[in-house]
Amino acid sequence: MLRSQQDFPIKEDINIEKGARSSLETSSDADVVADSVIAGRVWRKLDYHVLPIMSMFYLLSFLDRTNVGNARVAGLQTDLGMSNKQYCIALTVTYVPYIVSELPSNLVLKAVGPHLMLPTMLTLWGIVTALQGIVDSYSGFLACRFFLGLLEGGVFPGLVLYLSYFYPRYKMNTRVTLFFSSASLSGAFSGILAYGIIRMDGVGNRPGWSWIFILEGLFTFLFGLSSYFIFPQSLDKTWFLSPEEKNYVKGKLLEDTHKEEEVFSWKEVLEALKLPQLWLLGPAFFFAATILFGLAYFSPSIIQGLGYTAADAQLMSVPPYAVACVVALISAFISDRYRCRGVVCIVSVLLCAIGFAVFLGSESKRVQYGSLFFSVTGAYMAPPTQATWNANNASPQTRRATVIAMGFIMGNSGGILATWLLGSLSPAPKYTKATITLLIFSLLAALFCALNILYLRRANVRKAERRKTMDREEEAPGLGNHSAWYIYNL
């Protein structure tokens, strides 16, 4: 049978269409592969160059603030003639300037630049840490603790804000936990270092506890000086990223948070203070931080109360912190992979509750020691996830900086309570009142995290309804996290 002449163009058109579709699919697949390749390369570079420095900053911050617990077991309190009440006052003096400086520090950091401010803070608090080792009076020790708190106050919120300049929201929790895990490592290192350093007792006519402060402070000072030269200044000025890679990161940040304001605005500070999610998560910050700092400052004393010598108590404090570090990293991966910040927060404080319940209900010293693996692990899982969750749900930058700082202000207020709860109000070795209080705080923290999940879920439903009634171009600019296209992390 003869075919009509018009059959040929039809067949040709079909072939052209198939070829075009195949070409588009091939092009699309190539784009996905190329995007995947550059993504892997960019995040690896940032992780290798930014995270180690951030981790060292926070390790030294936590180590220099909490090594007083190791020094206490090694004889600090006795040599300076401090009562339990005076010891608690010294710890409280640390937290007052620490809390007061957090919000101003975060706002100044945005203006001055983290590459200058954070290394300066680190260098100066290294000097103050070392000075604690040469004081010979209670008043001198109080002065050191005050300036230590003043200089360290902006570190954690500043580091979280700084990371948000490099990473989109869905990649933040693993990174924040990676550098926060250095806090649990500091708990492990502090015990090991103290075990070795206290054997310098008598060197230079100084007691062993003084060398804990002097040597650790000296290392902080030297690292602070070196950090001026190794600290990545900003995304645009990173030497290890190519122009293409910088543009890729900028695109991801813009896609994740929408266009943000470039200058400081008091209006955004006030807007941040109106966010319901800040005040729902705030109590959880307070409760979780009370648990964290209670264990950070007093775990050597708690372990010593179980019948261990002062030197052995330093070593026995290491295993719970090592386990906490590993579990915190795993939980951060789960939180980022499945974007379930709230669930991880709840699980972490429930682990604390299990630990405190076991410690309270058992008379066995071994079981009580084992309970620390639950409580310490939960205590170090919660704060980085809470901090990331808090930062993830606020935009633009000034608003985010404000909620980050406010979260830590509420959290570190718990540090003040912790210093009195275990140091003076609840006697060793059982710490019954303190353990009951921390058990209740664990459950309350879980409750407020659950309430925050419910609020954010409802807010996302309302945003979904708004998106049905308008196009993105019709929405007013500058809404930040109030935008219908800004989906809250749960």
Side-chain angles (χ1 to χ4, degrees):
M1 178 184 293
L2 293 175
R3 287 174 293 180
S4 66
Q5 193 69 20
Q6 66 182 21
D7 284 343
F8 294 98
I10 291 174
K11 183 176 180 180
E12 185 178 331
D13 289 346
I14 291 172
N15 289 335
I16 292 172
E17 184 179 344
K18 285 182 178 179
R21 187 184 303 121
S22 175
S23 176
L24 287 171
E25 288 173 354
T26 303
S27 176
S28 177
D29 290 342
D31 289 343
V32 170
V33 171
D35 188 74
S36 177
V37 170
I38 191 173
R41 187 171 69 243
V42 165
W43 304 130
R44 275 197 305 272
K45 283 185 177 182
L46 285 171
D47 289 346
Y48 291 155
H49 289 90
V50 175
L51 287 181
I53 301 172
M54 300 298 96
S55 298
M56 184 58 75
F57 263 66
Y58 198 64
L59 185 149
L60 295 175
S61 168
F62 213 82
L63 183 67
D64 292 342
R65 191 162 16 114
T66 59
N67 57 11
V68 66
N70 301 98
R72 183 195 191 197
V73 171
L76 163 71
Q77 186 172 343
T78 303
D79 289 354
L80 292 187
M82 286 187 282
S83 65
N84 285 342
K85 182 178 179 180
Q86 287 176 314
Y87 178 74
C88 292
I89 290 173
L91 297 185
T92 302
V93 164
T94 308
Y95 277 99
V96 174
Y98 192 101
I99 292 167
V100 170
S101 66
E102 284 181 306
L103 179 56
S105 175
N106 238 24
L107 298 178
V108 171
L109 180 141
K110 187 174 181 296
V112 174
H115 65 292
L116 294 176
M117 187 164 177
L118 290 173
T120 300
M121 292 163 63
L122 180 66
T123 304
L124 292 177
W125 93 57
I127 295 173
V128 175
T129 299
L131 289 175
Q132 290 178 104
I134 64 173
V135 298
D136 54 9
S137 67
Y138 177 61
S139 58
F141 185 66
L142 284 180
C144 287
R145 297 305 295 182
F146 175 87
F147 285 105
L148 188 67
L150 183 66
L151 292 167
E152 285 195 27
V155 175
F156 195 4
L159 292 175
V160 173
L161 179 63
Y162 177 67
L163 283 183
S164 71
Y165 296 163
F166 294 91
Y167 294 97
R169 289 185 297 160
Y170 64 91
K171 290 188 175 294
M172 278 286 287
N173 195 40
T174 299
R175 274 74 185 182
V176 172
T177 303
L178 277 168
F179 83 72
F180 187 85
S181 65
S182 62
S184 54
L185 284 180
S186 78
F189 286 148
S190 186
I192 295 172
L193 290 172
Y195 180 79
I197 292 173
I198 58 176
R199 282 161 169 68
M200 294 179 65
D201 187 54
V203 175
N205 295 319
R206 304 220 61 84
W209 61 262
S210 71
W211 286 107
I212 294 175
F213 292 126
I214 292 170
L215 294 180
E216 292 177 4
L218 178 61
F219 180 83
T220 300
F221 171 73
L222 294 175
F223 185 81
L225 290 179
S226 68
S227 65
Y228 282 106
F229 305 99
I230 62 177
F231 203 92
Q233 184 171 345
S234 66
L235 179 61
D236 285 327
K237 296 183 180 180
T238 49
W239 57 269
F240 53 85
L241 292 179
S242 67
E244 179 192 13
E245 291 167 340
K246 292 176 184 178
N247 288 332
Y248 175 82
V249 176
K250 288 177 183 177
K252 289 298 178 183
L253 293 173
L254 190 62
E255 171 188 310
D256 185 57
T257 59
H258 314 299
K259 183 170 177 61
E260 299 194 340
E261 99 285 10
E262 298 295 331
V263 295
F264 171 79
S265 166
W266 281 108
K267 177 186 175 185
E268 291 299 340
V269 174
L270 296 175
E271 195 62 40
L273 298 177
K274 299 176 185 177
L275 295 177
Q277 60 264 37
L278 170 63
W279 300 107
L280 284 171
L281 199 55
F285 268 107
F286 175 81
F287 296 135
T290 303
I291 297 167
L292 172 68
F293 291 119
L295 292 171
Y297 281 120
F298 292 98
S299 57
S301 298
I302 292 170
I303 294 170
Q304 187 179 29
L306 298 178
Y308 295 94
T309 64
D312 288 343
Q314 309 282 14
L315 279 183
M316 293 301 288
S317 67
V318 174
Y321 286 98
V323 170
C325 178
V326 174
V327 176
L329 291 175
I330 294 171
S331 69
F333 172 79
I334 293 171
S335 172
D336 272 351
R337 175 68 178 81
Y338 298 101
R339 306 191 187 187
C340 53
R341 316 283 194 222
V343 172
V344 172
C345 287
I346 291 171
V347 170
S348 64
V349 290
L350 290 180
L351 283 176
C352 293
I354 292 170
F356 295 131
V358 171
F359 186 90
L360 193 65
S362 177
E363 295 297 328
S364 167
K365 302 299 183 184
R366 290 185 177 182
V367 173
Q368 288 180 326
Y369 175 73
S371 73
L372 293 175
F373 285 84
F374 288 94
S375 52
V376 171
T377 297
Y380 281 85
M381 278 174 61
T385 307
Q386 288 178 335
T388 306
W389 197 17
N390 192 36
N392 281 174
N393 292 325
S395 178
Q397 288 183 7
T398 300
R399 199 181 303 175
R400 184 184 303 122
T402 304
V403 300
I404 290 171
M406 288 299 298
F408 286 109
I409 287 172
M410 288 181 272
N412 286 306
S413 298
I416 295 177
L417 176 59
T419 61
W420 289 92
L421 196 57
L422 283 92
S424 181
L425 300 178
S426 187
K430 190 71 174 178
Y431 298 100
T432 303
K433 292 180 181 178
T435 306
I436 293 173
T437 302
L438 295 179
L439 173 58
I440 294 171
F441 278 12
S442 302
L443 298 175
L444 288 174
L447 173 63
F448 277 97
C449 288
L451 291 174
N452 196 40
I453 291 174
L454 293 175
Y455 168 75
L456 294 173
R457 180 173 289 145
R458 287 186 60 191
N460 281 342
V461 170
R462 290 195 296 269
K463 289 186 177 198
E465 293 299 321
R466 283 167 52 199
R467 289 196 297 273
K468 293 177 182 178
T469 64
M470 69 170 74
D471 293 328
R472 190 165 183 172
E473 293 74 19
E474 297 173 355
E475 188 177 63
L479 293 178
N481 59 272
H482 295 309
S483 166
W485 278 264
Y486 191 102
I487 309 303
Y488 289 129
N489 280 185
L490 302 182

